[in-house]
Amino acid sequence: MTDSLISSAYSQALEVIASVEPRIAEATRQELTDQRASLKLIASENYASPAVLMTMGTWFSDKYAEGTIGHRFYAGCQNVDTVESIAAEHARELFGAEYAYVQPHSGIDANLTAYWSILAHRVEGPWLSDAGVKNMNDLSEADWEKLRASLGNQRLLGMSLDAGGHLTHGFRPNISGKMFHQNQYGTDPETGLLDYDALLAKAREFKPLILVAGYSAYPRRVNFAKMREIADEVGATLMVDMAHFAGLVAGKVFTGEENPVPYAHVVTSTSHKSLRGPRGGFILATEEYAPSVDRGCPMVLGGPLSHVMAAKAVAFAEARTTEFQGYAQKVADNAKSLAEGFLTRGAKLVTGGTDNHIVLLDVSSFGLTGRQAESALLDAGVVTNRNSVPQDPNGAWYTSGIRFGTPALTTRGFGHDEFDTVADLVVDVLSNTQPGTTKAGEPSKATYTLGDGVADRVTKRSAEMLDANPLYPGLELT
Ligand code: PLP
C-alpha cells in the first residue's frame, strides 16, 4: 500500500467521523500527533500496521457471531466463519500449535476462558449456578469459600505480582485468586531470577491443578521444558500466558525450551503487545484441551469481535514474514542495548540485565519511588510505567521500579545508539529529580521536583530521535 493511499484513506475516514462528532475526529488526530511526539517505552504497547488498523474499521464490527466456526447462534455468519478460520489457521501455523481459539477480546478474557476450560476439562461436579450465588460482586469470603468448594477446591500456582507475574495469575484480589485456592512463586531474593528448584518444592507441597507460567515484568527468558517437568511431576496442567512475549515466540527469538507452545497444555496471549496486532487475546491448546477451550462462548465470552478477529488474521500473517523475525530479534537486541546503557551509567537493574524485551530499573538508588520517577519522566516526555520490584518496600501503588519495553520504539526504527541515548535521557531525568515532602514535612512517596531545564533538554534530544524515526512515515492527514 502506498503512503498516499493510506494518507487519503485516513484523511477521508476522519472527515466522515467529523461529520457526525467532530470532537472524536479531533481527538483521533491529536492522538496521532501525541504518539508521534512521545518516547513510548511502555513494555506492553506497540504500533500496529495501517493494514491491521484499517481491518478493524469495517462492517464486521456489526455482526454478532456467538458460537464457533460453522456452529453459530446467529444466522448469516459465513464471512465471520471465513475470517475466524483464517485467523486460527495463521495462529496455528505461526506458533506450530494443534489448535487456536481467536475469540477472546483481551488477555484477561483469554486467561479466564482458559481457567474455566481447564476446570471444565479436569473437574467433575457442580458449577457456579449450583453454588447458590446470585451476584458475584456481593460474594463474601465465605461465599468464595463455598464457590471454591463447589469447584472441588482447586489450586492455582502462579508467579507473584511483585516478581513480575500478572494479576490474573492468582493475585488474591483478582478473580483468579478467588475461584482457586491460590499460591504464588517468586524469584530468588539475591539474583531476582526464577528458582526452578524452589518452584518445584512449592509445587510438590501445594499440588496445584494449574501451574501458570508467564509474566508482565520479568526481564528474563523462561525455560518451559523445566516448567512442564514440574507440572508433570505434580499432575498440574501447564498454562503459559505469553501475552508479553508472543512476538518473540512468533519471531523465532524464543525457540527450543524457551518456546512455550510445545510444552504447555494451554497457552494464552494478547495480540497487541510485542506481537504488534490489534488489541485482543487468543488461546493455543493441545487437542486434548481444544473442546473445552472451544466453549469459551458461552462459558465466559459473548459475541466475538469479528472485525478484531479479522485484524488478528492480518497481524498473524505479518508475523509469519522474515521481516517480522528481523523485527523481533531487534526488539531483544535493543533491550540489551538499553540495559547496557543503564548499567554503564551506574543504574541498578532487577536481575542485572535482560534477555527479552523488558528492562526493569530499580529507582531506589536514585532515592525515588516508582511513582515519582514515572511522573518526572513523563514531564520530560518519556512515557513509561511504574512497576513493583521483587519484595518491593513501597508496595504495588508507589513501587520502586520503572518498567521499560522496546517493542514500540523498535517498530519506529530505533536501534542500539538510540536506546543508549534513551538510557542517558532517563538517567539525566532521574538523577536530577528530588523527592518531595508531605505537608507534615515527612518524606513523600508521590511528590518530587525536577531540576530546571531538564525537561527541555531531554525533550529536545528525544525529539531529534523521534523525528529521525517517524511513526507511520508517509502518513499525512489533510
Ligand atoms: N497477561 C499478561 C501477562 C499481561 O501482561 C496482560 C496485560 O498487561 C494481560 C494478560 C491482560 O491483557 P489485556 O489488557 O488485553 O486484558
Side-chain angles (χ1 to χ4, degrees), residues 44 106-108 111 166 168-169 215-216 241 243-244 270 272-273:
S44 46
S106 74
I108 280 188
N111 285 350
H166 189 255
T168 52
H169 298 179
Y215 51 78
S216 295
D241 177 352
H244 252 268
T270 56
H272 50 271
K273 302 183 201 259

Side-chain angles (χ1 to χ4, degrees), residues 263-457:
Y263 297 101
H265 299 94
V266 179
V267 176
T268 58
S269 188
T270 56
S271 38
H272 50 271
K273 302 183 201 259
S274 55
L275 193 50
R276 213 163 62 177
R279 298 201 78 77
F282 65 98
I283 302 175
L284 307 172
T286 57
E287 290 290 359
E288 186 195 351
Y289 283 85
S292 33
V293 174
D294 238 13
R295 303 277 301 149
C297 167
M299 180 61 91
V300 175
L301 305 169
L305 310 177
S306 306
H307 56 310
V308 180
M309 290 196 298
K312 286 175 196 170
V314 173
F316 294 149
E318 287 176 349
R320 294 183 66 186
T321 59
T322 47
E323 199 188 334
F324 188 86
Q325 290 181 12
Y327 161 72
Q329 187 58 54
K330 276 190 212 139
V331 166
D333 293 346
N334 284 338
K336 279 212 183 316
S337 302
L338 180 63
E340 278 159 24
F342 282 135
L343 292 171
T344 52
R345 290 169 179 87
K348 190 173 148 204
L349 300 181
V350 174
T351 79
T354 178
D355 48 32
N356 56 20
H357 61 297
I358 294 170
V359 176
L360 192 55
L361 179 65
D362 185 337
V363 295
S364 56
S365 57
F366 294 95
L368 301 170
T369 63
R371 171 97 191 265
Q372 290 162 329
E374 177 194 80
S375 303
L377 286 167
L378 190 62
D379 290 346
V382 183
V383 187
T384 62
N385 68 284
R386 66 186 184 278
N387 212 100
S388 303
V389 300
Q391 297 95 41
D392 201 312
N394 287 321
W397 179 250
Y398 291 109
T399 82
S400 303
I402 293 285
R403 184 184 67 164
F404 296 87
T406 51
L409 291 179
T410 303
T411 296
R412 280 185 84 139
F414 277 40
H416 170 83
D417 293 349
E418 287 84 0
F419 275 101
D420 185 60
T421 305
V422 168
D424 198 46
L425 299 182
V426 169
V427 171
D428 188 6
V429 171
L430 299 184
S431 47
N432 286 296
T433 302
Q434 295 305 318
T437 46
T438 63
K439 281 188 190 133
E442 302 287 322
S444 163
K445 291 185 175 187
T447 60
Y448 62 94
T449 314
L450 179 59
D452 282 347
V454 181
D456 283 349
R457 142 172 114 223

Side-chain angles (χ1 to χ4, degrees), residues 29-297:
R29 283 174 183 274
Q30 190 58 43
E31 181 62 19
L32 179 61
T33 307
D34 292 353
Q35 291 207 18
R36 281 178 158 163
S38 81
L39 204 61
K40 176 149 95 172
L41 288 152
I42 293 180
S44 46
E45 293 188 6
N46 211 328
Y47 303 107
S49 70
V52 166
L53 297 179
M54 282 177 173
T55 310
M56 280 188 283
T58 78
W59 27 93
F60 267 124
S61 170
D62 301 330
K63 190 73 198 95
Y64 246 109
E66 281 175 31
T68 48
I69 300 164
H71 186 80
R72 308 278 182 187
F73 291 88
Y74 290 80
C77 294
Q78 61 281 2
N79 298 312
V80 179
D81 280 348
T82 304
V83 158
E84 186 171 350
S85 304
I86 295 171
E89 177 193 293
H90 275 310
R92 280 194 310 274
E93 289 178 12
L94 175 63
F95 294 103
E98 289 176 13
Y99 166 78
Y101 185 65
V102 296
Q103 292 196 14
H105 305 172
S106 74
I108 280 188
D109 280 9
N111 285 350
L112 201 54
T113 303
Y115 290 142
W116 284 112
S117 307
I118 295 166
L119 285 169
H121 183 69
R122 299 269 320 256
V123 182
E124 287 177 14
W127 282 87
L128 184 65
S129 57
D130 296 337
V133 162
K134 288 202 185 73
N135 185 339
M136 299 284 282
N137 292 327
D138 293 341
L139 289 177
S140 66
E141 187 45 43
D143 288 330
W144 282 111
E145 208 51 66
K146 205 161 117 196
L147 174 65
R148 283 193 288 271
S150 80
L151 293 169
N153 285 316
Q154 302 304 329
R155 301 191 189 105
L156 177 117
L157 177 59
M159 194 177 199
S160 66
L161 202 59
D162 74 342
H166 189 255
L167 293 172
T168 52
H169 298 179
F171 185 52
R172 197 70 184 84
N174 183 262
I175 181 79
S176 60
K178 292 187 185 293
M179 61 197 261
F180 294 102
H181 288 286
Q182 52 78 253
N183 203 332
Q184 306 258 275
Y185 57 89
T187 45
D188 182 276
E190 294 295 309
T191 61
L193 297 172
L194 262 175
D195 178 345
Y196 296 94
D197 293 336
L199 171 53
L200 174 60
K202 188 163 253 182
R204 276 189 183 134
E205 196 187 323
F206 186 62
K207 296 202 178 15
L209 176 82
I210 305 177
L211 172 62
V212 185
Y215 51 78
S216 295
Y218 180 66
R220 296 290 175 176
R221 301 183 188 194
V222 174
N223 184 319
F224 295 107
K226 281 192 188 162
M227 285 289 185
R228 177 60 186 261
E229 268 174 40
I230 296 169
D232 283 348
E233 176 155 348
V234 300
T237 296
L238 177 61
M239 177 177 137
V240 177
D241 177 352
M242 65 168 184
H244 252 268
F245 54 89
L248 300 184
V249 178
K252 312 263 182 284
V253 177
F254 290 1
T255 55
E257 298 186 343
E258 293 164 356
N259 174 3
V261 182
Y263 297 101
H265 299 94
V266 179
V267 176
T268 58
S269 188
T270 56
S271 38
H272 50 271
K273 302 183 201 259
S274 55
L275 193 50
R276 213 163 62 177
R279 298 201 78 77
F282 65 98
I283 302 175
L284 307 172
T286 57
E287 290 290 359
E288 186 195 351
Y289 283 85
S292 33
V293 174
D294 238 13
R295 303 277 301 149
C297 167

